[in-house]
Amino acid sequence: MAPSILAIVASSFTKAMRRNGPWQAANASYVRDFGTAYGTPPTEVALRKALASFVRTLVSANSPYDRFVTGDKTALSASEKRGLDLFFGGKAECFHCHSENTLTNDGFFNTGTFVEGGDVGRQALTGRTGDLGKFRVPNLRNIEVTAPYMHDGSLATLENVVDHYDRGGRGHPSTDVQIEPLGLTAEEKADLVAFMKALTDQTFLTDSRYRP
């Protein structure tokens, strides 16, 4: 079960305080505005709730893919549609980890990027041999603008990511059994990349409300 937004924010807040020292108001206007909005001074607990409330407004749901699955059959190009069929079909089989609705299953997998001496991933928390090199499956929304990719940033482009999975990973024995060579053609690789770029929600990314 995925953690709540409040739990994620609380964890990030705690980590930030460990790095930067105890929290304190940056200036008087923040204290005033916070009191106006919440009726209380900006305590640590209140700040966590306020941040969680803001994060809940960050909804990305207007990508070409979103419009396509909600009925606009013109939202995807021919290449993007072929990529969709590969992504959710029996050749690329990306859907095992990236489901149709949320584009993640929130699971932990070793997807073939682990190398000896690298980040051991989930194993650092559990101590289990079988968790070596496992990392949480990311949501792919707006993946076009979040390079570099994989847990270690080792793949610079979406093309590199597709090539990685087409090879079946880097060959480490701890790689998940679902990661195996795909035998994709050059056109199929291009179609997969086109589909992943169709997960980009420009309306969300250019929303002036979220500019610093």
Side-chain angles (χ1 to χ4, degrees):
M1 181 175 166
S4 69
I5 290 176
L6 182 58
I8 294 171
V9 168
S11 175
S12 299
F13 195 94
T14 299
K15 291 176 182 177
M17 288 203 302
R18 287 173 181 167
R19 288 195 306 268
N20 304 321
W23 173 86
Q24 58 183 4
N27 59 54
S29 67
Y30 287 174
V31 176
R32 182 194 66 236
D33 293 344
F34 195 95
T36 300
Y38 291 94
T40 181
T43 64
E44 181 181 333
V45 171
L47 277 171
R48 289 177 176 179
K49 292 181 178 179
L51 284 169
S53 295
F54 169 70
V55 170
R56 292 187 188 100
T57 72
L58 301 175
V59 178
S60 176
N62 194 39
S63 69
Y65 169 70
D66 292 311
R67 297 196 298 274
F68 181 81
V69 297
T70 54
D72 181 0
K73 299 309 177 184
T74 67
L76 297 181
S77 69
S79 176
E80 290 163 350
K81 289 177 183 177
R82 292 194 300 269
L84 180 150
D85 290 338
L86 284 163
F87 192 96
F88 293 113
K91 189 165 187 180
E93 298 190 79
C94 310
F95 66 89
H96 290 298
C97 290
H98 301 285
S99 60
E100 183 176 359
N101 294 321
T102 61
L103 297 171
T104 178
N105 62 6
D106 287 314
F108 292 84
F109 297 91
N110 181 329
T111 58
T113 55
F114 176 76
V115 293
E116 291 296 338
D119 190 334
V120 299
R122 189 166 175 76
Q123 189 187 64
L125 297 175
T126 68
R128 295 195 295 257
T129 301
D131 283 340
L132 177 64
K134 287 186 176 180
F135 294 87
R136 186 185 292 277
V137 176
N139 187 313
L140 297 187
R141 290 188 178 279
N142 299 304
I143 193 69
E144 180 183 8
V145 299
T146 61
Y149 304 105
M150 316 310 282
H151 72 277
D152 56 357
S154 60
L155 301 179
T157 67
L158 289 174
E159 287 81 3
N160 294 154
V161 173
V162 172
D163 284 339
H164 168 81
Y165 285 116
D166 188 48
R167 289 191 302 269
R170 294 173 177 166
H172 193 275
S174 65
T175 301
D176 191 275
V177 295
Q178 295 181 96
I179 306 300
E180 56 186 11
L182 301 175
L184 298 173
T185 66
E187 181 184 51
E188 287 171 332
K189 291 180 182 181
D191 290 340
L192 271 175
V193 170
F195 170 69
M196 286 189 284
K197 290 182 177 180
L199 302 175
T200 305
D201 180 356
Q202 290 295 341
T203 301
F204 174 77
L205 293 176
T206 59
D207 193 325
S208 60
R209 294 176 299 171
Y210 302 128
R211 291 177 182 169

